[in-house]
Amino acid sequence: MAEALHELSAPALIELYRRREVSPVEVARSVLGHVERWEQHLQALYLLRPDAVMEQARASEARWRQGQPLGLVDGVPVTIKDNIATRGDPTPLGTAATELVASTVDAPPAARVREQGGVILAKTTMPDYGMLSSGLSSFHKLARNPWDRTKTPGGSSSGAGAAAAAGYGPLHLGTDIGGSLRLPASWCGIFTLKPSLGRIPIDPPYMGRAAGPMTRTVADAALLMDVLSRPDDRDSMSLPAQDIPWSTFDAGVERLRGLRIGLLLEAGCGLGVEPEVRAAVERAALLFERAGAVVAPMKPFMTQGMLDGMDHFWRMRSHVDMRALPPDVKARVLPYIQQWADSAAGMTGEAVFRAVHQFHLTRVATVNACRPFDYVISPVSPVPAFAAELPSPTNDPMRPLEHIGFTVPFNMSEQPAASINCGYTASGLPIGLQIAGKRFDDLGVLQVARAFEQVREAQRPWPQPPSEAIFHVD
């Protein structure tokens, strides 16, 4: 049976448009129809406007008929995370405490998508201020995981992870400052690349903050990297223009031969790795070895002090931000986030300095630990997806980041790191493998991920929606 249009990859859609075998209007209708069947159960989207989607699709159809597509993704459906500003839309940042004011401009990632002809399907949901690895929000409805709707899709790119796994078209765009791309990718069984800092310009820029593609395949992510990785002077940390041949992401399984791969099975801080997660990552390591890579164990390089320091600094940052809010507005923020931030009220200047210093120590420790290796593989998360209603795996605002020990170091070291599915729990939940490379080697990480995509076990069929509908698409 032929794949439905909403299931097709972006490169496949572009080829069909080029050959005039399929129109962007047909694809938009297919995606909207699929969303109609899924969305009330997942609650992944914000600002879903079918009429606006169809208007964009008709404009793209006209360009293809004239043989004048705008760019690499003309006519391809794309979702964009709530916190990436889009012209004419409010940016609530996942919280009911934000004043809803329409943005006058597109943030850099949204601008690149629009310049290249992407059809913006909707924004995607996130938790308050992006400070949870969960779909729990005081503004958006609770996002759920398509593999098991009692579980979280992760966060903070919650809706994007759920939308990609559910088949809301091929391309989704999220952000990451401690794991917010990779954690939902791991728990939703999809692929993502957190690129080197500055590879994809973002506004506002921030230490460790990156935007990145969230897709079902490495091929889709490579195409979206080609769209997004263009300099923008609004990002003070934007990397210089570089002609990266993103289309060479598929270097074959031979790409793995002779590589020195570090195998990190303990984070050195936070939660212990659950047995099913460890077993899946060990099986992945064996596949690397069978393909000719040299895999060697790594000692943990993170410490609980590093993780706690970053946590305490972020608490203080949020405390200062929320202290500026009127009491009635602050009261709208999730109680978990309020309690977490308010716990920093008594921190001294010295304590804040010592907390900030942990970012530097993390960076140095990560780079030093990775130096002997071409790439490092590890779990993305020590645990699989947890209950959808919980803000974090511990459900404890005093221990909120115990699950990011594998992901956050690569934000601070500015290294590219991907998540790719490497197995399933006994209950059928996906398990993500993290693949990290040296700073600036984004293409290499994609190539290694593509090679693993070719040698890993057969993947299970993507989750399918219940039959109920919530709106009609003309």
Side-chain angles (χ1 to χ4, degrees):
M1 185 174 67
E3 283 186 282
L5 294 179
H6 64 264
E7 298 277 356
L8 295 178
S9 71
L13 290 175
I14 292 298
E15 180 61 17
L16 289 171
Y17 297 161
R18 187 186 66 78
R19 288 160 29 193
R20 300 194 179 186
E21 294 181 13
V22 166
S23 130
V25 170
E26 294 174 284
V27 171
R29 284 178 177 150
S30 178
V31 172
L32 286 170
H34 189 64
V35 170
E36 178 183 7
R37 293 183 288 274
W38 249 135
E39 180 57 12
Q40 68 171 319
H41 304 283
L42 301 181
Q43 297 167 164
L45 302 183
Y46 168 58
L47 297 180
L48 174 62
R49 294 166 294 205
D51 290 347
V53 173
M54 296 308 300
E55 181 180 353
Q56 294 174 76
R58 284 190 288 270
S60 175
E61 180 183 65
R63 292 191 293 269
W64 279 103
R65 283 178 176 169
Q66 295 163 6
Q68 297 179 334
L70 272 180
L72 295 172
V73 292
D74 201 336
V76 178
V78 185
T79 71
I80 298 176
K81 188 177 176 181
D82 160 351
N83 66 345
I84 298 173
T86 46
R87 186 180 65 248
D89 299 324
T91 309
L93 307 177
T95 179
T98 299
E99 183 181 358
L100 297 182
V101 177
S103 174
T104 58
V105 296
D106 287 323
R112 300 297 88 79
V113 167
R114 218 184 291 269
E115 290 162 3
Q116 295 285 317
V119 173
I120 297 175
L121 175 69
K123 304 297 287 288
T124 49
T125 59
M126 61 181 282
D128 290 53
Y129 303 113
M131 291 310 301
L132 299 177
S133 299
S134 152
L136 186 63
S137 164
S138 63
F139 180 82
H140 301 296
K141 293 180 180 179
L142 178 65
R144 296 181 179 274
N145 192 318
W147 291 92
D148 179 345
R149 298 195 302 279
T150 70
K151 305 297 185 184
T152 183
S156 64
S157 302
S158 313
Y168 289 15
L171 302 179
H172 309 272
L173 182 53
T175 63
D176 188 316
I177 201 170
S180 291
L181 287 164
R182 289 157 289 162
L183 291 163
S186 173
W187 294 331
C188 291
I190 62 168
F191 179 76
T192 193
L193 174 68
K194 181 209 74 68
S196 300
L197 186 75
R199 180 69 71 203
I200 296 175
I202 196 165
D203 184 28
Y206 195 82
M207 176 177 58
R209 186 177 187 227
M214 302 181 74
T215 61
R216 287 183 170 186
T217 67
V218 178
D220 279 326
L223 178 61
L224 196 48
M225 285 300 298
D226 203 351
V227 170
L228 300 171
S229 59
R230 298 159 195 238
D232 192 304
D233 60 13
R234 288 177 287 174
D235 185 343
S236 58
M237 293 181 277
S238 175
L239 295 177
Q242 187 176 354
D243 186 16
I244 297 174
W246 298 107
S247 62
T248 65
F249 72 92
D250 190 348
V253 176
E254 280 296 309
R255 180 69 171 81
L256 302 180
R257 186 166 300 279
L259 290 181
R260 299 165 299 166
I261 304 290
L263 174 61
L264 183 67
L265 290 172
E266 296 177 22
C269 58
L271 297 173
V273 178
E274 291 196 4
E276 286 184 302
V277 174
R278 184 185 183 100
V281 172
E282 288 176 331
R283 287 195 302 272
L286 183 60
L287 293 175
F288 275 89
E289 287 186 322
R290 288 176 179 171
V294 179
V295 179
M298 290 178 68
K299 294 180 180 179
F301 54 86
M302 284 285 288
T303 67
Q304 191 65 42
M306 292 174 184
L307 184 63
D308 289 346
M310 290 185 278
D311 174 19
H312 292 157
F313 170 76
W314 284 328
R315 293 183 198 211
M316 178 55 79
R317 183 191 69 174
S318 295
H319 173 66
V320 170
D321 288 346
M322 281 191 266
R323 193 171 57 187
L325 298 174
D328 62 319
V329 175
K330 179 186 174 184
R332 301 173 197 162
V333 178
L334 281 176
Y336 183 99
I337 297 290
Q338 290 186 53
Q339 187 178 348
W340 169 75
D342 287 346
S343 69
M347 286 182 69
T348 64
E350 180 180 342
V352 173
F353 167 77
R354 293 186 181 280
V356 172
H357 187 52
Q358 298 305 314
F359 288 89
H360 174 69
L361 295 180
T362 298
R363 178 192 182 98
V364 172
T366 306
V367 172
N368 287 341
C370 294
R371 185 172 289 112
F373 305 103
D374 298 308
Y375 300 93
V376 169
I377 60 174
S378 73
V380 172
S381 165
V383 298
F386 51 94
E389 293 79 10
L390 296 182
S392 70
T394 61
N395 194 26
D396 181 355
M398 298 302 101
R399 296 176 60 236
L401 305 181
E402 299 295 292
H403 55 292
I404 70 169
F406 289 106
T407 52
V408 72
F410 297 107
N411 293 81
M412 300 313 134
S413 67
E414 304 182 15
Q415 294 170 245
S419 174
I420 188 168
N421 191 58
C422 69
Y424 305 87
T425 67
S427 63
L429 293 174
I431 297 170
L433 175 75
Q434 181 169 243
I435 303 172
K438 295 187 185 297
R439 191 178 176 205
F440 309 131
D441 188 22
D442 304 77
L443 179 58
V445 171
L446 286 179
Q447 290 174 336
V448 171
R450 172 57 184 152
F452 180 72
E453 195 175 43
Q454 292 169 283
V455 301
R456 68 182 175 180
E457 66 185 22
Q459 298 296 284
R460 299 183 183 182
W462 293 102
Q464 294 302 313
S467 58
E468 303 96 318
I470 54 171
F471 59 82
H472 180 68
V473 181
D474 292 320

